[in-house]
Coordinates of all heavy atoms in Angstrom, one line a residue:
M3 N 73.7 61.9 148.8 CA 74.0 61.1 147.6 C 73.9 61.9 146.3 O 72.8 62.3 145.9 CB 73.1 59.9 147.6 CG 73.5 58.9 146.5 SD 75.1 58.1 146.9 CE 75.3 57.0 145.5
M4 N 75.1 62.2 145.7 CA 75.0 63.0 144.5 C 75.3 62.1 143.3 O 76.3 61.4 143.3 CB 76.0 64.2 144.5 CG 75.6 65.2 145.6 SD 76.6 66.7 145.4 CE 76.3 67.2 143.8
S5 N 74.4 62.1 142.4 CA 74.7 61.4 141.2 C 75.3 62.3 140.2 O 74.8 63.5 140.0 CB 73.4 60.8 140.7 OG 72.5 61.8 140.4
Q6 N 76.3 61.9 139.6 CA 76.9 62.8 138.6 C 76.0 62.8 137.3 O 75.8 61.8 136.7 CB 78.3 62.3 138.2 CG 79.3 62.5 139.3 CD 80.7 62.2 138.9 OE1 80.9 61.4 137.9 NE2 81.7 62.7 139.5
S7 N 75.6 64.0 137.1 CA 74.8 64.1 135.9 C 75.6 64.7 134.7 O 76.3 65.7 134.8 CB 73.6 65.1 136.2 OG 72.9 65.3 135.0
N8 N 75.7 63.9 133.7 CA 76.4 64.4 132.5 C 75.4 64.8 131.4 O 75.7 64.7 130.2 CB 77.3 63.3 131.9 CG 78.5 63.0 132.9 OD1 78.9 63.9 133.6 ND2 78.9 61.8 132.9
S9 N 74.3 65.2 131.9 CA 73.3 65.6 130.9 C 73.7 66.7 130.0 O 73.2 66.8 128.9 CB 71.9 65.9 131.6 OG 72.2 67.0 132.4
E10 N 74.6 67.5 130.5 CA 75.0 68.7 129.7 C 76.1 68.3 128.8 O 76.5 69.0 127.9 CB 75.5 69.8 130.6 CG 74.3 70.5 131.3 CD 74.7 71.7 132.1 OE1 75.9 72.1 131.9 OE2 74.0 72.2 132.9
Y11 N 76.7 67.1 129.0 CA 77.8 66.7 128.2 C 77.2 66.1 126.9 O 76.4 65.2 126.9 CB 78.6 65.6 128.9 CG 79.7 65.0 128.0 CD1 80.9 65.7 127.8 CD2 79.5 63.8 127.3 CE1 81.9 65.2 127.0 CE2 80.5 63.3 126.5 CZ 81.7 64.0 126.3 OH 82.6 63.5 125.5
D12 N 77.5 66.8 125.8 CA 77.0 66.3 124.5 C 78.2 66.0 123.6 O 78.9 66.9 123.3 CB 76.1 67.4 123.9 CG 75.4 66.9 122.7 OD1 75.8 65.9 122.1 OD2 74.4 67.5 122.3
P13 N 78.4 64.8 123.3 CA 79.5 64.4 122.5 C 79.6 65.1 121.2 O 80.7 65.3 120.7 CB 79.3 62.9 122.3 CG 78.3 62.4 123.3 CD 77.5 63.6 123.7
I14 N 78.5 65.5 120.7 CA 78.5 66.2 119.4 C 79.4 67.5 119.5 O 80.1 67.8 118.6 CB 77.1 66.6 119.0 CG1 76.3 65.3 118.7 CG2 77.0 67.5 117.8 CD1 74.8 65.5 118.4
H15 N 79.3 68.1 120.7 CA 80.1 69.4 120.8 C 81.6 69.1 120.8 O 82.4 70.0 120.6 CB 79.7 70.1 122.1 CG 78.3 70.6 122.0 ND1 77.8 71.4 121.0 CD2 77.3 70.5 122.9 CE1 76.6 71.7 121.3 NE2 76.2 71.1 122.4
Y16 N 81.9 67.9 121.1 CA 83.4 67.6 121.3 C 83.9 66.7 120.2 O 85.1 66.6 120.0 CB 83.6 66.8 122.6 CG 83.2 67.6 123.8 CD1 81.9 67.6 124.3 CD2 84.1 68.5 124.5 CE1 81.5 68.4 125.4 CE2 83.7 69.2 125.5 CZ 82.4 69.2 126.0 OH 82.1 70.0 127.1
S17 N 83.0 66.1 119.5 CA 83.5 65.2 118.4 C 84.2 66.0 117.3 O 85.3 65.6 116.9 CB 82.3 64.4 117.8 OG 81.4 65.3 117.3
K18 N 83.7 67.1 116.9 CA 84.3 67.9 115.9 C 83.7 69.3 115.9 O 82.6 69.5 116.2 CB 84.1 67.2 114.5 CG 82.6 67.1 114.1 CD 82.5 66.5 112.7 CE 81.1 66.3 112.3 NZ 80.9 65.6 111.0
K19 N 84.6 70.2 115.5 CA 84.2 71.6 115.5 C 83.4 71.8 114.2 O 83.7 71.2 113.1 CB 85.4 72.5 115.6 CG 86.0 72.5 116.9 CD 87.2 73.5 117.0 CE 87.8 73.5 118.4 NZ 88.9 74.4 118.5
A20 N 82.5 72.7 114.3 CA 81.7 73.0 113.1 C 82.5 73.7 112.1 O 83.3 74.6 112.4 CB 80.5 73.9 113.5
I21 N 82.4 73.2 110.9 CA 83.2 73.8 109.8 C 82.2 74.5 108.9 O 81.3 73.9 108.4 CB 84.0 72.8 109.0 CG1 85.0 72.1 109.9 CG2 84.7 73.5 107.8 CD1 85.7 71.0 109.2
G22 N 82.4 75.8 108.8 CA 81.4 76.6 108.0 C 82.0 77.9 107.7 O 83.2 78.2 108.0
P23 N 81.2 78.7 107.1 CA 81.7 80.1 106.8 C 82.0 80.8 108.1 O 81.3 80.6 109.1 CB 80.5 80.7 106.1 CG 79.3 79.9 106.4 CD 79.8 78.5 106.7
P24 N 83.0 81.6 108.1 CA 83.4 82.4 109.3 C 82.3 83.4 109.7 O 81.5 83.8 108.8 CB 84.7 83.0 109.0 CG 84.7 83.1 107.5 CD 83.9 81.9 107.0
P25 N 82.3 83.9 110.9 CA 81.4 85.0 111.2 C 81.5 86.2 110.4 O 82.6 86.4 109.8 CB 81.7 85.3 112.7 CG 83.0 84.7 113.0 CD 83.2 83.5 112.0
A26 N 80.5 87.0 110.3 CA 80.5 88.1 109.4 C 81.6 89.1 109.7 O 82.1 89.7 108.8 CB 79.1 88.8 109.4
H27 N 81.9 89.2 111.0 CA 83.0 90.2 111.3 C 84.4 89.7 111.0 O 85.3 90.4 111.1 CB 82.8 90.5 112.8 CG 83.1 89.4 113.7 ND1 82.1 88.6 114.2 CD2 84.3 88.9 114.2 CE1 82.7 87.7 115.0 NE2 84.0 87.8 115.0
Y28 N 84.4 88.4 110.7 CA 85.8 87.8 110.5 C 86.3 88.4 109.1 O 85.7 88.3 108.1 CB 85.7 86.3 110.4 CG 87.1 85.7 110.3 CD1 87.8 85.3 111.4 CD2 87.6 85.4 109.0 CE1 89.1 84.7 111.2 CE2 88.8 84.8 108.8 CZ 89.6 84.5 109.9 OH 90.8 83.9 109.8
T29 N 87.5 88.9 109.2 CA 88.1 89.4 108.0 C 89.4 88.6 107.8 O 90.3 88.6 108.7 CB 88.4 90.9 108.1 OG1 87.2 91.6 108.3 CG2 89.0 91.4 106.8
C30 N 89.6 88.1 106.6 CA 90.8 87.4 106.3 C 91.9 88.5 106.2 O 91.8 89.4 105.4 CB 90.7 86.7 105.0 SG 92.2 86.1 104.4
Y31 N 92.9 88.4 107.0 CA 93.9 89.4 107.0 C 95.0 89.1 106.0 O 96.0 89.8 105.9 CB 94.5 89.7 108.4 CG 95.1 88.6 109.1 CD1 96.4 88.3 108.9 CD2 94.4 87.8 110.0 CE1 97.1 87.2 109.5 CE2 95.0 86.8 110.7 CZ 96.4 86.5 110.4 OH 97.0 85.5 111.1
R32 N 94.8 88.1 105.2 CA 95.7 87.9 104.1 C 95.3 88.7 102.9 O 96.2 89.3 102.3 CB 95.8 86.4 103.8 CG 96.8 86.1 102.7 CD 96.8 84.6 102.4 NE 97.4 83.8 103.5 CZ 98.7 83.6 103.7 NH1 99.6 84.1 102.9 NH2 99.0 82.8 104.7
C33 N 94.0 88.6 102.6 CA 93.6 89.3 101.4 C 92.6 90.5 101.8 O 92.3 91.3 101.0 CB 92.9 88.4 100.5 SG 91.4 87.7 101.1
G34 N 92.3 90.5 103.1 CA 91.4 91.6 103.6 C 89.9 91.4 103.3 O 89.1 92.3 103.5
K35 N 89.6 90.3 102.8 CA 88.2 90.0 102.5 C 87.6 89.1 103.5 O 88.3 88.4 104.2 CB 88.1 89.4 101.1 CG 88.5 90.3 100.0 CD 88.4 89.6 98.6 CE 89.0 90.5 97.5 NZ 89.0 89.8 96.2
N36 N 86.3 89.1 103.6 CA 85.6 88.2 104.5 C 84.9 87.2 103.7 O 84.8 87.2 102.5 CB 84.7 89.0 105.5 CG 83.7 89.8 104.7 OD1 83.5 89.6 103.5 ND2 83.1 90.8 105.4
G37 N 84.4 86.2 104.5 CA 83.7 85.1 103.8 C 84.5 83.8 103.8 O 84.0 82.8 103.5
H38 N 85.7 83.9 104.3 CA 86.5 82.7 104.4 C 87.6 82.9 105.4 O 88.0 84.0 105.7 CB 87.2 82.4 103.0 CG 88.1 83.4 102.5 ND1 87.7 84.4 101.6 CD2 89.4 83.7 102.8 CE1 88.7 85.2 101.3 NE2 89.8 84.8 102.1
Y39 N 88.0 81.8 106.0 CA 89.1 81.9 106.9 C 90.4 82.0 106.2 O 90.5 81.6 105.0 CB 89.1 80.6 107.8 CG 88.0 80.5 108.8 CD1 87.0 79.6 108.6 CD2 88.0 81.3 109.9 CE1 85.9 79.5 109.5 CE2 87.0 81.2 110.8 CZ 85.9 80.3 110.6 OH 84.9 80.2 111.5
I40 N 91.4 82.5 106.9 CA 92.7 82.7 106.3 C 93.2 81.4 105.7 O 93.9 81.4 104.7 CB 93.7 83.4 107.2 CG1 95.0 83.7 106.5 CG2 93.9 82.5 108.5 CD1 95.9 84.6 107.3
K41 N 92.9 80.3 106.4 CA 93.5 79.1 105.9 C 92.7 78.6 104.7 O 93.2 77.6 104.0 CB 93.5 78.0 107.0 CG 92.1 77.6 107.5 CD 92.2 76.6 108.6 CE 90.9 76.1 109.1 NZ 91.0 75.1 110.2
H42 N 91.6 79.2 104.4 CA 90.9 78.9 103.2 C 91.1 80.0 102.1 O 90.5 79.9 101.1 CB 89.4 78.7 103.5 CG 89.1 77.5 104.4 ND1 88.1 77.6 105.3 CD2 89.7 76.3 104.5 CE1 88.1 76.4 106.0 NE2 89.1 75.6 105.5
C43 N 92.0 80.9 102.5 CA 92.2 82.0 101.6 C 92.7 81.6 100.2 O 93.7 80.9 100.1 CB 93.1 83.0 102.2 SG 93.4 84.5 101.2
P44 N 92.0 82.0 99.2 CA 92.5 81.6 97.8 C 93.9 82.3 97.5 O 94.6 81.7 96.7 CB 91.4 82.2 96.9 CG 90.7 83.2 97.7 CD 90.8 82.8 99.1
M45 N 94.2 83.4 98.2 CA 95.5 84.0 98.0 C 96.6 83.1 98.5 O 97.7 83.3 98.1 CB 95.5 85.3 98.8 CG 94.5 86.3 98.3 SD 94.7 86.9 96.6 CE 96.1 87.9 96.8
Q46 N 96.3 82.2 99.4 CA 97.3 81.4 100.0 C 97.9 80.5 98.9 O 99.1 80.1 99.1 CB 96.7 80.6 101.1 CG 97.7 80.0 102.1 CD 97.1 79.6 103.4 OE1 95.9 79.4 103.4 NE2 97.9 79.4 104.4
M47 N 97.2 80.2 97.9 CA 97.7 79.4 96.9 C 98.7 80.1 96.0 O 99.5 79.5 95.3 CB 96.5 78.9 96.0 CG 95.4 78.1 96.7 SD 96.1 76.6 97.5 CE 94.5 76.0 98.3
D48 N 98.6 81.4 96.1 CA 99.5 82.2 95.1 C 100.8 82.6 95.8 O 101.1 83.7 95.9 CB 98.7 83.4 94.7 CG 97.4 83.0 93.9 OD1 97.4 81.9 93.4 OD2 96.5 83.8 93.9
K49 N 101.5 81.6 96.3 CA 102.8 82.0 96.8 C 103.8 82.4 95.7 O 104.8 83.0 96.0 CB 103.4 80.8 97.6 CG 102.6 80.5 98.9 CD 103.3 79.4 99.7 CE 102.5 79.2 101.0 NZ 103.1 78.0 101.7
S50 N 103.4 82.0 94.5 CA 104.3 82.3 93.4 C 104.1 83.7 92.9 O 104.8 84.2 92.0 CB 104.1 81.3 92.2 OG 102.7 81.4 91.8
V51 N 103.2 84.4 93.5 CA 102.9 85.8 93.1 C 104.1 86.7 93.2 O 104.4 87.5 92.4 CB 101.7 86.4 93.9 CG1 101.7 87.9 93.8 CG2 100.4 85.8 93.5
E52 N 104.9 86.4 94.2 CA 106.1 87.3 94.4 C 107.1 87.0 93.3 O 107.8 87.9 92.9 CB 106.7 86.9 95.8 CG 105.8 87.3 96.9 CD 106.4 87.0 98.3 OE1 107.6 86.6 98.3 OE2 105.7 87.0 99.2
A53 N 107.1 85.8 92.8 CA 108.0 85.5 91.7 C 107.1 84.9 90.5 O 107.0 83.7 90.5 CB 109.0 84.5 92.1
P54 N 106.5 85.7 89.8 CA 105.6 85.3 88.7 C 106.2 84.2 87.8 O 105.6 83.3 87.5 CB 105.3 86.6 88.0 CG 105.6 87.7 88.9 CD 106.7 87.2 89.7
K55 N 107.4 84.5 87.4 CA 108.0 83.6 86.5 C 109.2 82.9 87.2 O 110.0 83.6 87.7 CB 108.5 84.3 85.2 CG 107.4 84.7 84.3 CD 108.0 85.4 83.1 CE 106.9 85.9 82.2 NZ 107.5 86.6 81.0
P56 N 109.3 81.6 87.2 CA 110.5 81.0 87.7 C 111.7 81.4 86.8 O 111.6 81.0 85.6 CB 110.2 79.5 87.6 CG 109.1 79.4 86.6 CD 108.3 80.7 86.6
I57 N 112.6 82.1 87.3 CA 113.7 82.5 86.5 C 114.9 81.5 86.6 O 115.3 81.2 87.7 CB 114.2 83.9 86.9 CG1 113.1 84.9 86.8 CG2 115.4 84.3 86.1 CD1 113.4 86.3 87.3
R58 N 115.3 81.0 85.5 CA 116.4 80.1 85.6 C 117.7 81.0 85.9 O 117.9 82.0 85.3 CB 116.6 79.4 84.2 CG 115.4 78.5 83.9 CD 115.5 78.1 82.5 NE 116.7 77.3 82.2 CZ 117.1 77.1 80.9 NH1 116.5 77.6 79.9 NH2 118.2 76.3 80.7
T59 N 118.5 80.4 86.7 CA 119.7 81.1 87.0 C 120.9 80.3 86.4 O 120.8 79.1 86.1 CB 119.9 81.3 88.5 OG1 120.0 80.0 89.1 CG2 118.8 82.1 89.1
S60 N 121.9 81.1 86.2 CA 123.1 80.4 85.6 C 124.0 79.8 86.6 O 125.2 79.6 86.4 CB 123.9 81.5 84.8 OG 124.3 82.5 85.6
K61 N 123.4 79.6 87.8 CA 124.2 79.0 88.9 C 124.9 77.7 88.4 O 124.2 76.8 87.9 CB 123.3 78.8 90.1 CG 124.0 78.4 91.3 CD 123.0 78.2 92.4 CE 123.6 77.8 93.7 NZ 122.6 77.6 94.8
G62 N 126.1 77.7 88.7 CA 126.9 76.5 88.3 C 127.5 76.5 86.9 O 128.3 75.6 86.6
I63 N 127.1 77.5 86.2 CA 127.6 77.6 84.8 C 128.7 78.6 84.8 O 128.5 79.8 85.2 CB 126.5 77.9 83.8 CG1 125.4 76.9 83.8 CG2 127.2 78.0 82.4 CD1 124.3 77.2 82.9
P64 N 129.9 78.3 84.4 CA 131.0 79.2 84.4 C 130.6 80.4 83.5 O 130.0 80.3 82.5 CB 132.2 78.5 83.7 CG 131.8 77.0 84.0 CD 130.3 76.9 84.0
Q65 N 131.0 81.6 84.0 CA 130.6 82.8 83.3 C 131.1 82.9 81.9 O 130.5 83.4 81.0 CB 131.2 84.0 84.1 CG 130.5 85.4 83.8 CD 129.1 85.4 84.4 OE1 128.8 84.8 85.4 NE2 128.2 86.2 83.8
S66 N 132.3 82.2 81.7 CA 132.9 82.2 80.4 C 132.1 81.5 79.4 O 132.3 81.6 78.2 CB 134.3 81.7 80.5 OG 134.3 80.4 81.0
F67 N 131.2 80.6 79.9 CA 130.4 79.9 79.0 C 129.1 80.6 78.7 O 128.2 80.0 78.0 CB 130.1 78.5 79.5 CG 131.3 77.5 79.5 CD1 132.1 77.3 80.6 CD2 131.6 76.9 78.3 CE1 133.1 76.5 80.5 CE2 132.7 76.1 78.2 CZ 133.5 75.8 79.4
M68 N 129.0 81.7 79.3 CA 127.7 82.5 79.1 C 127.9 83.6 78.1 O 128.9 84.2 78.0 CB 127.2 83.0 80.4 CG 127.0 82.0 81.5 SD 125.8 80.8 81.1 CE 124.3 81.8 81.2
V69 N 126.9 83.8 77.3 CA 126.9 84.9 76.3 C 125.7 85.8 76.7 O 124.6 85.4 77.0 CB 126.6 84.4 74.9 CG1 126.5 85.6 73.9 CG2 127.7 83.4 74.5
K70 N 126.1 87.1 76.8 CA 125.1 88.1 77.3 C 124.0 88.1 76.3 O 124.2 88.0 75.1 CB 125.7 89.5 77.4 CG 124.9 90.5 78.1 CD 125.5 91.8 78.2 CE 126.7 91.9 79.0 NZ 127.3 93.2 79.2
A71 N 122.8 88.2 76.8 CA 121.6 88.2 76.0 C 120.6 89.2 76.5 O 120.6 89.6 77.7 CB 121.0 86.8 75.9
E72 N 119.7 89.6 75.6 CA 118.6 90.5 76.1 C 117.6 89.7 76.9 O 117.4 88.5 76.7 CB 117.9 91.0 74.8 CG 118.7 92.0 74.0 CD 119.1 93.2 74.7 OE1 118.2 93.7 75.5 OE2 120.2 93.7 74.6
P73 N 117.1 90.4 77.9 CA 116.0 89.7 78.7 C 114.9 89.3 77.8 O 114.5 90.0 76.9 CB 115.6 90.9 79.7 CG 116.7 91.8 79.7 CD 117.4 91.7 78.4
G74 N 114.4 88.1 78.0 CA 113.4 87.6 77.2 C 113.9 86.7 76.0 O 113.1 86.0 75.4
T75 N 115.2 86.7 75.9 CA 115.8 85.8 74.9 C 115.5 84.4 75.3 O 115.6 84.0 76.5 CB 117.3 86.1 74.8 OG1 117.5 87.4 74.4 CG2 117.9 85.2 73.7
K76 N 115.2 83.6 74.3 CA 114.9 82.2 74.6 C 116.1 81.6 75.3 O 117.2 81.6 74.7 CB 114.5 81.5 73.3 CG 114.1 80.0 73.5 CD 113.8 79.4 72.2 CE 113.4 77.9 72.4 NZ 113.2 77.2 71.2
G77 N 115.8 81.0 76.4 CA 116.9 80.3 77.1 C 117.7 81.2 78.0 O 118.7 80.8 78.6
A78 N 117.4 82.5 78.0 CA 118.2 83.4 78.8 C 118.0 83.1 80.3 O 117.0 82.8 80.8 CB 117.7 84.9 78.5
M79 N 119.1 83.2 80.9 CA 119.2 83.0 82.4 C 119.8 84.2 83.1 O 120.6 84.9 82.5 CB 120.0 81.8 82.7 CG 119.3 80.5 82.2 SD 120.2 79.0 82.6 CE 121.5 79.1 81.4
L80 N 119.3 84.4 84.3 CA 119.8 85.5 85.1 C 121.2 85.2 85.7 O 121.3 84.2 86.4 CB 118.8 85.9 86.1 CG 119.0 87.2 86.9 CD1 118.9 88.4 85.9 CD2 118.0 87.4 88.0
T81 N 122.1 85.9 85.4 CA 123.5 85.6 85.9 C 123.6 86.3 87.2 O 122.8 87.1 87.7 CB 124.6 86.2 84.9 OG1 124.5 87.6 85.0 CG2 124.3 85.7 83.5
S82 N 124.7 85.9 87.9 CA 125.0 86.4 89.2 C 125.3 87.9 89.2 O 125.2 88.6 90.2 CB 126.2 85.7 89.8 OG 127.3 85.8 88.9
T83 N 125.5 88.5 88.0 CA 125.8 89.9 87.9 C 124.5 90.7 87.6 O 124.5 91.9 87.5 CB 126.8 90.2 86.8 OG1 126.2 89.6 85.5 CG2 128.1 89.5 87.0
G84 N 123.4 89.9 87.5 CA 122.1 90.6 87.3 C 121.8 90.8 85.9 O 120.8 91.4 85.5
E85 N 122.7 90.3 85.0 CA 122.4 90.4 83.6 C 121.9 89.1 83.1 O 122.0 88.0 83.7 CB 123.7 90.8 82.9 CG 124.2 92.1 83.2 CD 125.6 92.4 82.6 OE1 126.4 91.5 82.6 OE2 125.7 93.5 82.1
Y86 N 121.3 89.2 81.9 CA 120.8 87.9 81.3 C 121.8 87.4 80.4 O 122.5 88.2 79.7 CB 119.5 88.2 80.6 CG 118.3 88.3 81.5 CD1 118.0 89.6 82.1 CD2 117.5 87.2 81.9 CE1 116.9 89.7 83.0 CE2 116.5 87.3 82.7 CZ 116.2 88.5 83.3 OH 115.1 88.6 84.2
A87 N 121.9 86.1 80.3 CA 122.8 85.5 79.4 C 122.3 84.1 79.1 O 121.5 83.6 79.7 CB 124.2 85.4 80.1
I88 N 122.8 83.7 78.0 CA 122.5 82.3 77.6 C 123.8 81.5 77.5 O 124.8 82.1 77.2 CB 121.7 82.3 76.2 CG1 122.6 83.0 75.1 CG2 120.4 83.0 76.4 CD1 121.9 82.9 73.8
P89 N 123.7 80.2 77.7 CA 124.9 79.4 77.6 C 125.4 79.5 76.2 O 124.7 79.5 75.2 CB 124.4 78.0 77.9 CG 123.1 78.2 78.7 CD 122.5 79.5 78.2
A90 N 126.7 79.6 76.1 CA 127.3 79.7 74.8 C 126.9 78.6 73.8 O 126.8 78.7 72.6 CB 128.9 79.8 74.9
I91 N 126.8 77.4 74.4 CA 126.4 76.3 73.6 C 125.1 76.5 72.9 O 124.9 76.3 71.7 CB 126.3 75.0 74.5 CG1 127.6 74.7 75.2 CG2 125.8 73.8 73.7 CD1 127.6 73.6 76.2
D92 N 124.1 77.1 73.7 CA 122.8 77.4 73.1 C 123.0 78.5 72.1 O 122.3 78.4 71.0 CB 121.8 77.8 74.2 CG 121.4 76.7 75.1 OD1 121.8 75.5 74.7 OD2 120.8 76.9 76.1
A93 N 123.8 79.4 72.3 CA 124.0 80.5 71.4 C 124.5 80.0 70.1 O 124.1 80.5 69.0 CB 125.0 81.5 72.0
V94 N 125.3 79.1 70.1 CA 125.9 78.5 68.9 C 124.8 77.8 68.1 O 124.6 78.0 66.9 CB 127.0 77.5 69.2 CG1 127.4 76.8 67.9 CG2 128.2 78.2 69.8
I95 N 124.0 77.1 68.8 CA 122.9 76.4 68.2 C 121.9 77.4 67.5 O 121.5 77.2 66.4 CB 122.1 75.5 69.2 CG1 123.0 74.4 69.7 CG2 120.8 74.9 68.6 CD1 122.5 73.6 70.8
V96 N 121.6 78.4 68.3 CA 120.7 79.4 67.8 C 121.4 80.3 66.7 O 121.0 80.4 65.6 CB 120.2 80.4 68.9 CG1 119.4 81.5 68.3 CG2 119.4 79.6 69.9
Ligands
ZN356 ZN1 91.6 85.7 102.1

């Protein structure tokens, strides 16, 4: 007669995994630092790093309505030709 012993079964081990700092040898391969899991990596928040500034494009605006402008000009948008331009309407106002 064997009685099933579940003495080793501890619900605590199954209820949830321990959440804590990763082991010392763990290295976040996103930023190369340790002390956090990759999913906790602060770098992960910086998806905009690749594109620091959201660049407005002149998509949808006819080229003829665009006036070439220096990069950094207020309202300047990147055209399909890789040049900066501002809508002629804005240029008139300015
Ligand atoms: Zn990291």
Side-chain angles (χ1 to χ4, degrees):
M3 187 68 183
M4 291 188 60
S5 63
Q6 289 187 337
S7 174
N8 289 333
S9 61
E10 291 186 10
Y11 176 83
D12 189 341
I14 292 174
H15 293 306
Y16 297 90
S17 60
K18 60 182 178 181
K19 291 183 179 180
I21 299 174
H27 65 268
Y28 183 91
T29 301
C30 170
Y31 60 86
R32 182 179 293 273
C33 67
K35 296 178 182 176
N36 53 20
H38 60 261
Y39 289 107
I40 185 169
K41 65 180 179 180
H42 296 144
C43 183
M45 298 296 287
Q46 198 164 16
M47 301 298 181
D48 298 336
K49 287 182 178 177
S50 60
V51 164
E52 295 177 11
K55 291 180 181 177
I57 299 174
R58 294 168 64 196
T59 61
S60 59
K61 188 177 179 183
I63 301 176
Q65 201 72 27
S66 58
F67 286 102
M68 302 297 291
V69 176
K70 193 183 292 184
E72 292 295 320
T75 302
K76 184 180 179 184
M79 291 182 285
L80 191 62
T81 66
S82 56
T83 58
E85 294 175 317
Y86 283 88
I88 58 176
I91 298 172
D92 288 351
V94 171
I95 293 172
V96 173

